[in-house]
Amino acid sequence: MTATNIAIVGVGKIARDQHVPAISGNARFHLAATVSSHSGLDGIDNFETLDALLAARPDIEAMALCMPPQVRYEAAAKAIAADRHVLLEKPPGATIAEVEALVRMAKAQNVALFATWHSRFAAAVEPARLWLQDKKVRHVSVIWKEDVRRWHPGQAWIWQPGGLGVFDPGINALSIVTRILPEPFHLVSSTLEFPDGRDAPIAATLRFTGDGGFEVEANFDWRQTGPQSWDIEVETESGTLLLRSGGAEMHVDGRETLREDDAEYDGIYARFAELISTRDIDADLSPLIHVADAFMLGRRVVVEPFA
Ligand code: NAP
């Protein structure tokens, strides 16, 4: 088995924290280059622009696009046109239609396209889906509250249009809920709290209704200091499932049934290798659709400025 040469495009927090170690730990990939306008990585060939890399390195077959969502489409379209397999960090783009366009392009070009949702690779997500698959859901409660200063230090793009604000983490919760529930659901109300002078919300309260009549309530907040909360509780007619710590822990009727350390990005790269081998597309847009709906139906409240 020869390793696929891969390049990371956009060397920021997530590239350094997760993509570099996950690629290094996967024998199916070799980190061959980066595209970074600033620093790149020690000992790895760096290009200032994607165009320069695509022209100079036809041997690099795959790209992991780790930049903010607002600039992902342009890079992905160029990489696909140049016949490269593409991994999109979440959210896969700034609009739904642009990601649909990427899917069409990847199909036409016969390259792999992977719109990743890293939280879906948390250890308890698949066991939760299996536990819920034959259950009748009554009510779902999602609490996703974290400290924006801790997780996005100095990042301007998250407050700009397309940066999603609190939906940047909130979409992770939605990626889990859309994966584990046995039936689809749709938004019925949304309240968005925008800090005065900002273009993206710092908090959101959402209500959804499921096809089977159940309700999903979600509270996203970026102002939480101290312990962070990433919990999803699903009440069914035959017991209650609780996912904690972003999907790393599962509890059934108050009893812990699983707790496993973070291996989300190892799962992502194992899946990307599969998709490359069959030149397939994995692009579920349902979490992004719910976020778009939340903006469409959102009642906007202005709250104190974020400094
Ligand atoms: P970040 O630290 O701000 O890094 C993004 C990198 O993208 C920058 O360092 C820059 O790389 C490049 N870039 C290209 N165009 C840019 C632009 N117009 N504005 C800013 N940066 C630009 O962001 P991040 O936290 O890594 O997040 C990147 C993506 O990963 C987002 O979609 C985010 O939702 C996702 N993600 C983040 C986390 C997290 O914990 N932070 C977790 C999971 C997923 P160069 O300096 O190399 O040019």
Side-chain angles (χ1 to χ4, degrees):
M1 180 187 62
T2 52
T4 299
N5 280 332
I6 188 167
I8 291 178
V9 186
V11 186
K13 184 171 180 350
I14 199 61
R16 290 175 189 277
D17 289 357
Q18 299 289 348
H19 289 264
V20 172
I23 292 169
S24 306
N26 187 326
R28 313 251 319 249
F29 291 100
H30 166 65
L31 182 56
T34 54
V35 175
S36 172
S37 56
H38 302 99
S39 51
L41 295 166
D42 279 352
I44 306 281
D45 201 11
N46 185 57
F47 294 84
E48 273 197 21
T49 66
L50 179 60
D51 291 333
L53 178 143
L54 292 172
R57 296 292 304 267
D59 60 308
I60 298 183
E61 297 160 66
M63 312 269 146
L65 304 187
C66 300
M67 69 282 278
Q70 295 100 322
V71 292
R72 219 186 311 279
Y73 169 80
E74 192 188 343
K78 281 182 179 172
I80 293 168
D83 226 4
R84 318 300 166 103
H85 306 294
V86 170
L87 179 156
L88 306 169
E89 244 303 348
K90 50 75 33 172
T95 72
I96 294 162
E98 72 181 28
V99 187
E100 288 176 338
L102 294 177
V103 169
R104 289 193 295 276
M105 289 177 206
K107 268 188 196 152
Q109 201 70 20
N110 193 29
V111 294
L113 178 68
F114 187 15
T116 62
W117 298 109
H118 65 85
S119 292
R120 286 186 176 177
F121 290 87
V125 170
E126 187 57 11
R129 187 185 73 78
L130 294 172
W131 190 86
L132 285 165
Q133 67 183 351
D134 56 356
K135 305 281 191 304
K136 180 89 184 135
V137 175
R138 281 187 181 147
H139 186 265
V140 182
S141 164
V142 180
I143 307 285
W144 224 254
K145 297 184 175 180
E146 61 176 54
D147 184 351
V148 61
R149 291 183 174 85
R150 184 161 144 197
W151 301 103
H152 297 278
Q155 295 178 1
W157 59 266
I158 52 167
W159 295 110
Q160 291 162 359
L164 295 192
V166 76
F167 288 104
D168 178 86
I171 203 167
N172 299 335
L174 294 171
S175 76
I176 295 178
V177 181
T178 48
R179 178 74 185 144
I180 64 175
L181 291 189
E183 287 176 276
F185 54 91
H186 63 271
L187 189 85
V188 291
S189 78
S190 157
T191 302
L192 308 175
E193 296 179 42
F194 282 73
D196 200 9
R198 297 281 186 173
D199 287 320
I202 196 162
T205 308
L206 312 177
R207 257 187 345 102
F208 303 85
T209 189
D211 286 9
F214 60 87
E215 189 181 58
V216 181
E217 285 178 285
N219 285 289
F220 302 152
D221 204 318
W222 244 352
R223 296 166 295 198
Q224 174 128 318
T225 53
Q228 310 285 281
S229 309
W230 297 295
D231 300 335
I232 297 169
E233 187 177 73
V234 185
E235 205 184 299
T236 76
E237 284 183 355
S238 36
T240 298
L241 175 125
L242 175 63
L243 283 183
R244 303 205 65 185
S245 309
E249 286 173 40
M250 175 166 149
H251 303 246
V252 174
D253 294 332
R255 189 173 55 85
E256 184 177 291
T257 58
L258 191 147
R259 179 194 290 255
E260 210 171 296
D261 281 348
D262 180 312
E264 294 176 5
Y265 282 77
D266 293 343
I268 282 181
Y269 277 93
R271 176 78 180 130
F272 191 35
E274 273 173 20
L275 294 171
I276 289 172
S277 68
T278 51
R279 296 183 172 260
D280 255 325
I281 292 170
D282 181 341
D284 175 16
L285 297 193
S286 57
L288 192 61
I289 289 170
H290 288 310
V291 169
D293 285 356
F295 278 98
M296 277 204 281
L297 214 53
R299 191 171 66 85
R300 290 166 189 243
V301 179
V302 176
V303 297
E304 63 182 34
F306 175 83

